[in-house]
Amino acid sequence: MILQDERAKEAARHPAWLQPYLDSPEKQKQLYKKTLFIVILSQIFGGAGLAAGITVGALLAQDMLGTDSMTGFPTALFTLGSAASALLVGRLSQRFGRRTGLAAGFWGGAVGAAGVVAAAVTSSIVLLFASLFIYGAGTATNLQARYAGTDMAASTQRAMAVSLAMVSTTFGAVAGPNLVEIMGEFAHSIGIPALAGPFILAAAAFSLAGLVLFVFLRPDPLIVAKAIASEPKEENAVHLATEPAVNKRGIVAGASVMVLTQLVMVAIMTMTPVHMGHHGHELGEVGLVIGFHVGAMYLPSLITGVLVDKVGRTAMAVAAGAVLLAAGLVSAFAPADSMVLLVIALVLLGLGWNFGLISSTAIIVDATHPSSRAKTQGSVDVLVALAGASGGVLSGIVVAHSSYAALSLAGAMLSLLLIPMVIWSRRS
């Protein structure tokens, strides 16, 4: 009788649809696989939307403003928008689930992209800046979607889950920059400035990403994970590892690695198209370099995920610092007319970011509990976005008053700070 009463109380705590996932490890594994598939599909579209701002945002601002000193502002604006959106998406996800939070974020990014197109048509700087800020919602959501894949993952699967979500972004993110000329021609044919063309693609891509998540991400993995974590451990035979208490030092270490890698990557990446434009490179060549860069940001993720899970979070975070250092040195000393060296520099920059992001994401997931995980992840991504905004603003100012080489050397030196940070984390 007592056992029946306890089971009745457990059933009353959760909706009827949730109970099978609490009782069956096999259904949990099925949900893990289904969630990864849906996240991968949405990330393909999200990556295409993300690429527009990276590739032509600075060039569009340069064209409309007529000065180089403000060319870092587009990146700063959509990364500031990303910061605000990361907090909102994290809070929405914590309260209503990943499905609602992520879909809302992608649709916000689509509205922002459409606003950029309208700003280019009307030559409105105010509308451009406001729309770039809103466009940042898509950037934030594209990044936060990687967490959805970890909600139902065991501790030994988390880096791989992140890597699967990220590598799927490659398809859209690499295709996006290489569609710059095609979208520019299409935009010109319908009376829209060519540089706004990629934002037409971004509006459609972000809309589709949100639709995929809203329609198909059922049941919501975060809601299920929180319910599993709330169950009594002795009665809860699940495939997930027992969740630890919150590890604040782990959160600080993971956030620090993520912030530094984002700061260095955004600063150098933002000014590379402008640097190339000053030295006679065509828009197609800019798209090619950025395409290689974005590919390096995401394509190695499958290997990186395995390494982070097998070799360790700390070792891969140190590797991130070393690769970013090499990227800064190559970009600083490469001749401006050398496409090969520019590609190598930007590939290294993307690879270092990849190592840092996946290792630090795994550190943060390990250090959090499902009951507060999404909110914490959103807060960390706010810091990441603010770091990107700072890198975007400062990069334009540094290059305007010094040089692209000086900016790259500064990024190389900053990347060295990753090493003492992860050593401190390991000692902790």
Side-chain angles (χ1 to χ4, degrees):
M1 179 64 72
I2 294 174
L3 184 59
Q4 289 178 343
D5 289 342
E6 288 178 352
R7 286 178 177 172
K9 288 179 182 178
E10 287 177 16
R13 284 206 312 266
H14 304 295
W17 66 264
L18 190 54
Q19 200 62 44
Y21 293 95
L22 303 181
D23 298 335
S24 171
E26 188 59 36
K27 286 194 74 68
Q28 294 171 20
K29 292 175 184 178
Q30 290 172 2
L31 179 57
Y32 167 64
K33 293 176 182 178
K34 177 187 175 181
T35 299
L36 276 181
F37 177 77
I38 299 305
V39 169
I40 285 169
L41 185 59
S42 71
Q43 289 293 80
I44 293 173
F45 294 118
L50 170 70
I54 294 174
T55 308
V56 298
L59 296 176
L60 182 60
Q62 182 188 40
D63 184 63
M64 293 179 67
L65 294 167
T67 176
D68 289 347
S69 61
M70 299 283 285
T71 50
F73 271 72
T75 300
L77 283 167
F78 68 69
T79 47
L80 280 172
S82 176
S85 301
L87 188 62
L88 290 173
V89 170
R91 297 301 171 93
L92 280 173
S93 298
Q94 188 69 53
R95 185 168 182 178
F96 300 108
R98 298 286 187 194
R99 172 176 161 265
T100 300
L102 296 177
F106 273 129
W107 287 337
V111 171
V116 171
V117 176
V121 171
T122 60
S123 299
S124 172
I125 298 299
V126 174
L127 181 58
L128 174 68
F129 285 173
S131 298
L132 284 168
F133 183 84
I134 299 170
Y135 170 80
T139 307
T141 309
N142 192 79
L143 195 58
Q144 279 207 32
R146 74 194 188 279
Y147 289 122
T150 68
D151 288 330
M152 296 300 297
S155 59
T156 55
Q157 299 173 311
R158 285 168 177 164
M160 178 55 70
V162 174
S163 68
L164 286 169
M166 287 182 61
V167 77
S168 61
T169 310
T170 307
F171 298 102
V174 173
N178 289 290
L179 291 173
V180 164
E181 286 189 291
I182 295 173
M183 291 305 301
E185 292 171 2
F186 170 74
H188 183 72
S189 71
I190 59 175
I192 295 174
L195 288 174
F199 285 95
I200 299 174
L201 174 65
F206 281 155
S207 296
L208 287 170
L211 186 64
V212 166
L213 289 165
F214 190 76
V215 172
F216 297 110
L217 196 61
R218 301 166 185 264
D220 193 287
L222 182 59
I223 292 175
V224 175
K226 287 195 291 185
I228 291 171
S230 70
E231 287 292 283
K233 294 295 182 288
E234 66 273 13
E235 298 175 11
N236 185 29
V238 298
H239 89 284
L240 299 176
T242 299
E243 293 289 350
V246 173
N247 176 2
K248 292 183 178 179
R249 289 194 175 192
I251 294 172
V252 170
S256 300
V257 172
M258 205 178 292
V259 164
L260 281 171
T261 54
Q262 184 77 358
L263 178 65
V264 173
M265 187 276 290
V266 169
I268 297 175
M269 174 203 69
T270 297
M271 294 312 297
T272 298
V274 177
H275 172 67
M276 293 178 68
H278 285 162
H279 292 85
H281 292 280
E282 300 294 332
L283 193 59
E285 292 176 311
V286 173
L288 180 65
V289 170
I290 297 299
F292 271 105
H293 166 66
V294 177
M297 287 172 67
Y298 296 103
L299 195 57
S301 296
L302 289 177
I303 297 173
T304 305
V306 173
L307 291 174
V308 171
D309 279 335
K310 300 296 183 183
V311 177
R313 279 65 158 143
T314 301
M316 293 306 295
V318 171
V323 175
L324 287 173
L325 172 65
L329 293 176
V330 174
S331 61
F333 296 110
D337 60 350
S338 174
M339 278 289 291
V340 172
L341 288 178
L342 284 171
V343 167
I344 290 172
L346 270 291
V347 165
L348 289 172
L349 187 68
L351 185 62
W353 179 86
N354 179 272
F355 286 179
L357 186 73
I358 294 181
S359 60
S360 59
T361 298
I363 291 169
I364 289 169
V365 175
D366 290 345
T368 53
H369 189 272
S371 62
S372 60
R373 180 167 292 159
K375 184 169 65 174
T376 302
Q377 290 163 343
S379 299
V380 170
D381 278 1
V382 170
L383 299 177
V384 174
L386 291 175
S390 301
V393 171
L394 293 175
S395 65
I397 296 172
V398 169
V399 171
H401 292 87
S402 182
S403 67
Y404 177 75
L407 174 70
S408 299
L409 285 173
M413 295 303 103
L414 277 174
S415 65
L416 290 176
L417 294 176
L418 288 174
I419 296 174
M421 175 52 63
V422 294
I423 290 174
W424 170 83
S425 171
R426 186 174 182 178
R427 290 180 63 187
S428 299

